[in-house]
Amino acid sequence: MREHEKTASVKQGKLFYIESNGAMHAYLSLAYDLYVLKDNLKLQAEVVRRLKRNEHFPGARYELLVAATCIRAGFEIKHEDETDNTRRHPEFIAKHKATSIEFDFEAKKRNRQVKFGIEDFNNGKAKLGVRNLLADAIDKFRGKPFIVFLDL
């Protein structure tokens, strides 16, 4: 982001505008989602730890996005105890502030290592790969309204 920023013509002490590129947008989106959770006292140390590990980053980033989106949509979230391996549970429970309806939320991200081209999808060679993710999410259904975010 800083390297891209250097390409702007800047006059000393003046405000300037620069088109954001993909890396800038990704960085600022991550920063804003972290801010939203921290500002609402919902940022978990475990998520931050996972964000720092390459192999855990995609899933942790997606969970962060889902939680921040729910907060911005007017939900008060309560995280489930991720260390509790005695039962299956959703990512978090959220109560909508305006309606007081409580929902279970689950975030699922497919981690695909292989890169496919558009021709693979058009020829039916590539699969979306969501069936197992959705089945895993449904296993966490506990009877209350349930919302699944699924990243394709």
Side-chain angles (χ1 to χ4, degrees), residues 34-93:
L34 286 166
Y35 166 77
V36 167
L37 264 74
K38 187 166 177 76
D39 189 51
N40 286 272
L41 306 175
K42 300 299 177 187
L43 183 58
Q44 297 177 302
E46 175 62 15
V47 172
V48 174
R49 185 190 67 74
R50 288 175 52 224
L51 284 169
K52 293 177 181 179
R53 302 201 45 190
N54 288 343
E55 66 273 16
H56 296 289
F57 180 86
R61 173 65 186 107
Y62 190 62
E63 289 171 24
L64 180 69
L65 168 78
V66 169
T69 299
C70 290
I71 289 171
R72 289 190 294 265
F75 286 89
E76 176 66 36
I77 68 171
K78 184 177 98 181
H79 287 285
E80 289 284 297
D81 180 4
E82 292 293 327
T83 63
D84 180 5
N85 294 325
T86 63
R87 63 184 178 85
R88 298 195 33 99
H89 52 78
E91 307 297 341
F92 56 87
I93 300 165

Side-chain angles (χ1 to χ4, degrees), residues 102-133:
E102 205 170 78
F103 297 84
D104 283 349
F105 280 85
E106 181 65 15
K108 290 292 180 191
K109 176 165 181 46
R110 185 196 61 216
N111 293 317
R112 178 174 278 166
Q113 300 299 325
V114 180
K115 298 211 186 294
F116 290 100
I118 192 69
E119 66 281 351
D120 294 319
F121 285 98
N122 289 337
N123 294 328
K125 293 178 185 173
K127 303 286 184 202
L128 288 178
V130 298
R131 183 178 303 219
N132 292 341
L133 291 175

